[in-house]
Amino acid sequence: MKDLSLHILDIIQNSIKAESTLIEVEISEDTKEDLLTITIKDNGRGMDEELLKKVLDPFVTTRTTRKVGLGLSLFKASCEQAEGSLTVDSVLGKATIVYAKLKHSHIDRKPIGDIASTMALAISSNENIDFIYKHKVDGNEFLLDTREIKKELDGVSVALPEVTCWIKDYIEEGIKNINGGNDL
Amino acid sequence: MKSISELQKIREKVLSEVNLRQDRQDGIRIVVGMATCGIAAGARPVMQEFISEISKRNLLNVKVIQTGCIGMCRLEPIVEVYVPGQEKVTYVKMTPDKVARIVSEHIVNGKVVDEYTVGAQS
């Protein structure tokens, strides 16, 4: 994966497969502590302890078509190459939380990338799932809650191309605002 | 500065076209493989480009959706086009540059772009 937003898109697919109805993505950039954290939390079916213990193993997957599942392992590798770590926690039947930690200034820390695209596509491809996207940069915060968007749309689908494009632009602008007018 | 209330405008426009848009049985589906393999190979910008192109042309009967791994990871990004009444067409090794041509030739004018299909590239 070229950047972190692609990892996030990939992990979100796990949450979708786990029949979540609410997926929360939080990115926090703290330049003072030199820390970048990414949290992806869902309310899907979760994992039992046995699966949780081995879920970071690339040869473990819930798929039946083949024996490898690389999403989490690749994300973990990307964290570790930036002096960070990745942990997964889960309560069976309730929730799963993926927590990634990276050193913000590390030379090998992948850029966040086009997170607006990641979120817009995830939102529009999954009309029945609600998303909360929170992005913090040194105390400034941008928040997007699809429940508000859906209320405003009042029955019109978030899957429509023009809505997808609007969400993408809205997130891009929101991030720029909390980042001192700069793109990521 | 963008605000959520702008969605009202989109809503009004959509509702004025609602009869054209209803979930039509004859709609075209564009399916993008979005598993780990597809994402790593560049499926996201491809999907984004399809959505932008379809929004730009205001094509009301086309849906862009995601699916998991299609099973030919080495040919990702893969896009399948389902036109009702016709055989499925599978485009492989997709890039955003190829999207405009597929939309204008295949989606709008019904002529498959043979050179991008799995038959020509595998």
Side-chain angles (χ1 to χ4, degrees), chain B residues 30 45-54 56-57 59 91 94-109 111 113 116:
Chain B
I30 298 173
V46 170
M47 182 171 183
Q48 185 70 54
E49 190 63 23
F50 268 112
I51 289 176
S52 306
E53 197 68 21
I54 277 152
K56 225 187 290 167
R57 289 170 170 264
L59 301 175
Y91 291 110
M94 281 296 296
T95 60
D97 305 352
K98 294 179 176 175
V99 169
R101 195 169 152 207
I102 291 175
V103 171
S104 73
E105 292 186 18
H106 188 171
I107 308 296
V108 177
N109 292 314
K111 199 182 155 298
V113 186
Y116 297 162

Side-chain angles (χ1 to χ4, degrees), chain A residues 128-147:
Chain A
N128 300 323
I129 301 177
D130 282 311
F131 289 85
I132 295 175
Y133 171 65
K134 210 189 262 183
H135 195 132
K136 291 189 220 164
V137 181
D138 291 332
N140 297 323
E141 183 177 306
F142 169 74
L143 178 75
L144 175 122
D145 186 333
T146 57
R147 289 171 294 196

Side-chain angles (χ1 to χ4, degrees), chain A residues 141-142 169-179, chain B residues 1:
Chain A
E141 183 177 306
F142 169 74
D169 293 346
Y170 182 67
I171 294 175
E172 266 169 14
E173 196 184 286
I175 291 174
K176 223 172 171 166
N177 284 338
I178 58 166
N179 205 31
Chain B
M1 177 91 188

Side-chain angles (χ1 to χ4, degrees), chain A residues 1 5 10 13 63 66 114 117-118 121 125 152-154 156 160-162 166 168-169 173 177, chain B residues 1-4 6-8 11 13-14 21 34 36 39 44 47-48 51 54-55 66 69 73:
Chain A
M1 302 280 171
S5 72
D10 196 15
Q13 306 293 336
R63 285 202 290 204
R66 74 193 58 180
D114 190 357
S117 222
T118 283
L121 291 181
S125 302
E152 204 69 29
L153 285 169
D154 193 12
V156 166
L160 293 170
E162 46 266 72
W166 182 88
K168 181 171 178 270
D169 293 346
E173 196 184 286
N177 284 338
Chain B
M1 177 91 188
K2 280 184 117 56
S3 119
I4 283 196
E6 288 169 22
L7 290 168
Q8 287 292 340
R11 183 171 180 272
K13 172 173 172 282
V14 169
R21 275 187 199 260
M34 198 64 86
T36 306
I39 294 170
R44 190 189 60 193
M47 182 171 183
Q48 185 70 54
I51 289 176
I54 277 152
S55 170
Q66 296 181 356
C69 178
C73 306

Side-chain angles (χ1 to χ4, degrees), chain A residues 60-96:
Chain A
V60 164
T61 178
T62 56
R63 285 202 290 204
T64 48
T65 46
R66 74 193 58 180
K67 288 179 182 155
V68 291
L70 298 178
L72 278 168
S73 336
L74 290 173
F75 194 10
K76 182 167 181 258
S78 291
C79 294
E80 286 171 353
Q81 78 181 27
E83 269 177 57
S85 60
L86 181 126
T87 49
V88 185
D89 214 345
S90 186
V91 180
L92 188 61
K94 285 231 156 65
T96 299

